[in-house]
Amino acid sequence: MSNIPRRAAFIAIEGLDRSGKTTQVATLQTRLQAEGIPVKLLKFPVDRTTAIGQMIDSYLRSQSELDDRAIHLLFSANRWELAASIEQLLAAGTTVVCDRYAFSGVAFSTAKGLSLDWCRSPDVSLPAPDLTLFLDITPEQARSRGGYGEERYEKEEMQRKVRDVFHQISSEFTAATWVTIDAGREREDVAEDVWNFVRQLTGGLSSPLERLWEGKK
Ligand code: Z5A
Ligand code: MG
């Protein structure tokens, strides 16, 4: 028998706007709970009422202007605020499911014209998800869900660029750690795919939590 303590899995749900991230995260939480697996949901940007959260919220609503690099660093700081608690939860056996994570940070800022390497650097060494499920839809499918909202990035041209960067990011991960799911289908079909990947990790892991993008030039 191994003496290595098991820990819970860290799962990120990423995807384009209107791809159904929040819908799927809620369904996944219900399913994990029904299986008796402790779970904590996190959403980035976190709670828009904290000091950093308020700055992000005001920026996304176009109520304030910030340098592209400054807002990028605020999104990253928002994740670092929770990095230690993610580690503690996993060590205590609670599965952590994130609604967006560092990949959204890199995708949106790179789509605005910043370099991918620069965008990645503030998030290097964050807890790395054991599994990232990327919910992919076309801009046409997003439009059929009522279109984009009123916020700064909710424009079709921007969403196309973001999708391209997400595909570029995904090519750097193995098939075991990054899975692209066709999210243009019925909610139940997408949920079934999500569950089939997540269930493989519900027994916990004996491998240490990895650090995001460490060793990446
Ligand atoms: N951002 C950033 O720039 N940098 C960062 O580091 C981070 C984020 C972390 C706010 O994000 C913005 O922050 C975002 C990226 C940027 N900018 N944009 N644009 P957010 O997470 O707060 O955004 P959101 O408000 O959650 O919206 P969303 O992501 O677009 O939605 P979603 O969570 O993917 O989808 P949903 O709310 O589950 O579903 C959308 C609608 O579709 C809803 O009416 C559902 O009932 C419906 N739906 C869901 N699934 C289906 C299926 N399968 N079929 C049909 N209809 C469906
Ligand atoms: Mg959402």
Side-chain angles (χ1 to χ4, degrees):
M1 251 195 4
S2 163
N3 289 327
I4 303 169
R6 291 186 84 76
R7 63 171 177 89
F10 180 25
I11 293 151
I13 307 283
E14 277 284 8
L16 303 162
D17 277 42
R18 302 292 176 268
S19 59
K21 296 175 297 298
T22 302
T23 303
Q24 292 300 328
V25 159
T27 305
L28 179 58
Q29 178 184 35
T30 305
R31 197 133 189 197
L32 286 165
Q33 286 169 340
E35 301 282 328
I37 295 158
V39 55
K40 172 78 179 171
L41 293 192
L42 296 177
K43 176 169 175 14
F44 292 103
V46 172
D47 184 355
R48 294 191 185 191
T49 62
T50 64
I52 292 176
Q54 275 178 21
M55 291 173 79
I56 293 175
D57 186 55
S58 157
Y59 176 82
L60 286 173
R61 293 172 191 273
S62 302
Q63 287 166 356
S64 62
E65 290 305 318
L66 280 170
D67 178 84
D68 287 344
R69 288 176 178 77
I71 182 67
H72 183 78
L73 295 173
L74 287 175
F75 273 116
S76 178
N78 196 219
R79 285 183 280 279
W80 278 109
E81 286 183 306
L82 283 192
S85 56
I86 290 173
E87 288 191 51
Q88 285 156 14
L89 285 161
L90 297 173
T94 299
T95 298
V96 176
V97 178
C98 266
D99 184 346
R100 291 194 191 272
Y101 196 51
F103 312 109
S104 278
V106 172
F108 280 82
S109 294
T110 303
K112 287 157 89 178
L114 300 180
S115 90
L116 200 142
D117 283 346
W118 189 91
C119 292
R120 218 175 353 224
S121 47
D123 286 322
V124 167
S125 301
L126 275 173
D130 298 298
L131 176 66
T132 299
L133 298 172
F134 174 66
L135 305 189
D136 198 18
I137 52 166
T138 62
E140 292 72 26
Q141 287 165 329
R143 205 184 305 128
S144 77
R145 291 181 185 179
Y148 302 115
E150 301 292 314
E151 290 194 341
R152 183 180 290 266
Y153 298 142
E154 297 182 335
K155 316 255 172 356
E156 197 158 317
E157 197 200 338
M158 175 69 178
Q159 297 293 328
R160 283 185 195 278
K161 289 185 187 162
V162 168
R163 187 172 188 229
D164 288 346
V165 186
F166 266 125
H167 289 164
Q168 200 180 335
I169 296 169
S170 76
S171 68
E172 298 174 349
F173 287 84
T174 64
T177 54
W178 184 292
V179 174
T180 297
I181 290 178
D182 174 2
R185 298 168 296 151
E186 295 296 321
R187 289 170 181 78
E188 297 72 20
D189 296 333
V190 178
E192 210 45 40
D193 274 9
V194 168
W195 178 243
N196 282 332
F197 286 104
V198 170
R199 74 193 312 175
Q200 299 172 33
L201 299 176
T202 53
L205 294 96
S206 51
S207 55
L209 185 67
E210 295 206 3
R211 303 267 150 205
L212 196 56
W213 290 315
E214 276 190 352
K216 181 109 196 119
K217 295 266 160 33

